[in-house]
Amino acid sequence: MSGTARSPLPMRAAAAAYRFRESLFALPALLVLGSIALAEVATAVDRAAAARALPLTLSMHSSTATWLLSTVAGATITTAGVVFSLTVVSLQLASSQFSPRVMRSFIRDRLSQVVIGLLVATFVYAVLVLRAVDADSRATAPRISLTVAVLLTVVTVLLIVAHLDHLAHGLQVGRVVERISAEGRQVLAATDRTTAAERPAVVRTQPAGQPALTVPAPCDGWVTQAPSDRLLLAVPPGTTVRLETRVGAYVHGGEPLVTVWPAPEDRGATARRLAATVLVSASRTMQYDVDFALRQLVDIGLRALSAAVNDPTTAVEAGLRIGSLLRRLLTADAPADAVAGPDRRVLLRPWQLSAEEYIAHGFDQLRHAAPAQPQVAAALLRVLRMLIAHVQVAGRAEHVPALHRQIDLLLESLRTSGLHPADLARLEAVATAADPADHSSHWDAAPAGAGAGGLNGSHAAAGTP
C-alpha cells in the first residue's frame, strides 16, 4: 500500500505556504537575506570593476559615501520602529473595533510585510556596504554599491508612503469585510473545483461485529485540511474510511479522527498515513473553511451592535456581505457525503455542514441582536428575502424553508421587542413583497415591464450582495 499512497508533502507544502502568507516574520526575513546577498554581489562587482567609471552610477569620495550610508542606516532602522508601531496599533484597532479573528487579514497584508522587510533589508545592506568603503577620505567610493543603496532608499521611502495610504484605507470597515468576503469566495471556488472532481458513492454502514481501526487525533486543535483524494489513497483497496470530524472543527487530542473498516493488516502504517493526511493546526484558518469567513463577518456585526461600539451601519454591511457569500454557497453543488475512490475505496463525511447550518451560522446571532436596532433588522430581512428569490431562480428551492424560518424567527423577536406599531408594520412589510423600498405602490399604476425598476430599487436599498 505504501507504494500507492501519495506523499503528504504537497499537502504540507500548501499548509506551509499558507502559514508563510500569515507570518510577519517570514517574508521580511527573506528580504534581509536577499539584502545580504545583494551587498556581497555589489561589492564583488565593484572590486572587479576597480576604478572604472561605470555609466548610470554615482561617483563620490569615501568620506561622503560613509556619511550617506550611515545616514541611510540610521534613518531606515528608526523608520522601521515607527512602521512596527503603526502595524501594532492597526492590529490593536482591528481587534478591538472589529474582531480578534480579523487580525489575520492585516497580518496577511503583503504590502505591510514588504515594507517591514525592505526597511530592515536596507539597513542591513547599508551597514554591510560600509565595510567596502575605503578609509582614505579622498578615495573613490564603490559606485555600484552606493547606487544600489540610494535606489533601495528611494524605493523604501515610496513604499512607506504607499503603506500609510494602504493602512488608512485598510482600516475602513468596507475594506475589511470586502477582504474577508473575497477570501471566502476563493475558498468556495476551490471547493467547487474539488467537488466537481469527486465521484459520489453509495453510503456504507459498518457491519456489526466487523473489526475497525480508529485513528485518534494527535493533538488539540483545528482541523485545517482533510483532502478526500489523499484519505482514499491512504487506505487499502476495498476499504471504507469515515472522517469523524470536518474541516473547521476543533478536536481534542485522543478523540476519534478517522475510522476505517475492515481493519487493515498494517494498522500502524495506515494509522500514520491517515494522521498525516488530516492536518490539525493550533489556529483556525480559512484555507478550506468558508464557515470561518461567515464567523468573522458575524463577529464584526456583533461587535458593531455591542454597547461599547454601537455602530449599526457596520452591522448592516456585515449582513450584506454574509448575503453575498450565501448567494454563492447556496447555489453551488454541495460536496457528497460519500466519495468513491479507486479500487472500491469509499470515503464517508457525515459531519459536513449542511446548507441549513450555514444559514444558521450566518444569521442566528445577528438575528438575536437585531431587534434592538430596527435598521439592522430591516437589512437582514431584505437580505433573506433576496436570498429566497435567488435560490428559487437558481433551482435550489430546498433552501427556502430554512431562509423563511430565519425571517419568521426575526419577526417574532421584533413583535416582542416593544417596537412602535408603525416601526413593526414597516419591518413586517420589508419581509414581504410589500416592502416599501420596492416602490410596490407604483406597480399597479405602472406600465407593463416597469416592475423591473422596482426590483432594482429593492436591491439598491438593501445594498444588494
Side-chain angles (χ1 to χ4, degrees):
M1 175 59 200
S2 58
T4 60
R6 294 182 186 176
S7 169
L9 288 178
M11 182 179 68
R12 293 190 178 276
Y18 195 85
R19 288 194 296 271
F20 177 86
R21 179 67 187 269
E22 292 196 339
S23 172
L24 275 176
F25 171 78
L27 182 59
L30 287 181
L31 290 174
V32 170
L33 292 177
S35 71
I36 296 174
L38 181 62
E40 295 299 325
V41 171
T43 53
V45 173
D46 276 320
R47 285 194 297 268
R52 285 179 292 175
L54 300 174
L56 302 178
T57 57
L58 299 176
S59 177
M60 61 184 71
H61 292 300
S62 293
S63 58
T64 306
T66 301
W67 171 83
L68 175 63
L69 291 173
S70 301
T71 302
V72 168
T76 52
I77 200 63
T78 302
T79 308
V82 175
V83 172
F84 293 157
S85 300
L86 287 175
T87 303
V88 171
V89 169
S90 66
L91 292 175
Q92 184 179 5
L93 285 174
S95 176
S96 60
Q97 186 73 19
F98 304 124
S99 166
R101 278 151 294 282
V102 173
M103 288 175 58
R104 54 180 298 280
S105 65
F106 288 85
I107 295 174
R108 285 171 58 87
D109 186 76
R110 270 284 183 251
L111 183 58
S112 297
Q113 296 174 4
V114 168
V115 169
I116 291 172
L118 200 56
L119 280 166
V120 181
T122 303
F123 164 77
V124 171
Y125 178 87
V127 170
L128 292 178
V129 170
L130 274 171
R131 302 174 307 160
V133 179
D134 199 310
D136 185 358
S137 60
R138 294 171 298 177
T140 301
R143 293 170 175 265
I144 295 177
S145 300
L146 282 174
T147 303
V148 172
V150 171
L151 288 175
L152 280 176
T153 304
V154 172
V155 171
T156 302
V157 169
L158 292 176
L159 282 179
I160 290 172
V161 177
H163 174 62
L164 293 175
D165 177 75
H166 181 72
L167 192 61
H169 288 89
L171 285 171
Q172 296 177 6
V173 64
R175 295 291 292 274
V176 173
V177 296
E178 193 278 331
R179 283 200 301 265
I180 297 171
S181 182
E183 191 175 355
R185 291 195 298 271
Q186 293 175 0
V187 176
L188 284 175
T191 303
D192 289 343
R193 291 192 295 269
T194 303
T195 301
E198 293 177 343
R199 292 188 298 115
V202 177
V203 175
R204 295 178 181 176
T205 56
Q206 182 179 356
Q210 186 178 56
L213 169 65
T214 300
V215 180
C219 59
D220 297 346
W222 299 89
V223 179
T224 58
Q225 288 192 55
S228 58
D229 57 342
R230 300 187 184 280
L231 282 170
L232 287 165
L233 292 175
V235 297
T239 302
T240 301
V241 53
R242 184 175 63 211
L243 185 63
E244 304 293 359
T245 182
R246 60 174 177 82
V247 172
Y250 185 89
V251 295
H252 298 278
E255 279 188 312
L257 193 66
V258 177
T259 301
V260 179
W261 71 85
E265 295 180 1
D266 55 341
R267 286 173 173 256
T270 301
R272 286 192 295 273
R273 286 194 297 270
L274 289 170
T277 301
V278 182
L279 295 188
V280 180
S281 175
S283 58
R284 190 176 182 182
T285 71
M286 210 194 301
Q287 191 174 4
Y288 299 102
D289 182 15
V290 70
D291 189 54
F292 192 34
L294 293 175
R295 176 71 268 162
Q296 292 177 73
L297 293 172
V298 169
D299 282 351
I300 292 173
L302 292 176
R303 182 65 62 92
L305 291 175
S306 66
V309 178
N310 192 23
D311 183 7
T313 304
T314 293
V316 168
E317 188 153 2
L320 296 172
R321 292 292 181 177
I322 290 170
S324 295
L325 279 180
L326 288 177
R327 284 173 72 89
R328 292 165 174 81
L329 195 153
L330 297 180
T331 54
D333 292 330
D337 291 334
V339 180
D343 299 324
R344 298 177 292 105
R345 298 179 178 93
V346 172
L347 168 65
L348 304 180
R349 300 179 294 199
W351 303 110
Q352 294 186 112
L353 291 177
S354 64
E356 289 74 16
E357 288 173 308
Y358 280 119
I359 293 171
H361 290 182
F363 291 108
D364 273 354
Q365 289 184 284
L366 289 177
R367 173 172 54 79
H368 294 156
Q373 292 287 351
Q375 176 189 359
V376 179
L380 292 180
L381 290 170
R382 288 194 177 109
V383 168
L384 286 164
R385 192 163 56 83
M386 288 189 293
L387 281 173
I388 291 173
H390 182 65
V391 297
Q392 287 175 331
V393 171
R396 303 284 183 172
E398 65 272 17
H399 305 320
V400 171
L403 295 168
H404 267 305
R405 182 173 183 273
Q406 292 291 330
I407 291 178
D408 294 340
L409 290 173
L410 180 52
L411 288 176
E412 184 177 342
S413 299
L414 291 169
R415 292 184 183 112
T416 58
S417 63
L419 282 177
H420 189 280
D423 291 329
L424 180 59
R426 183 180 65 85
L427 291 171
E428 289 176 337
V430 168
T432 67
D435 182 355
D438 285 337
H439 309 290
S440 55
S441 60
H442 299 287
W443 285 5
D444 294 337
L455 185 57
N456 291 336
S458 168
H459 286 203
T464 307

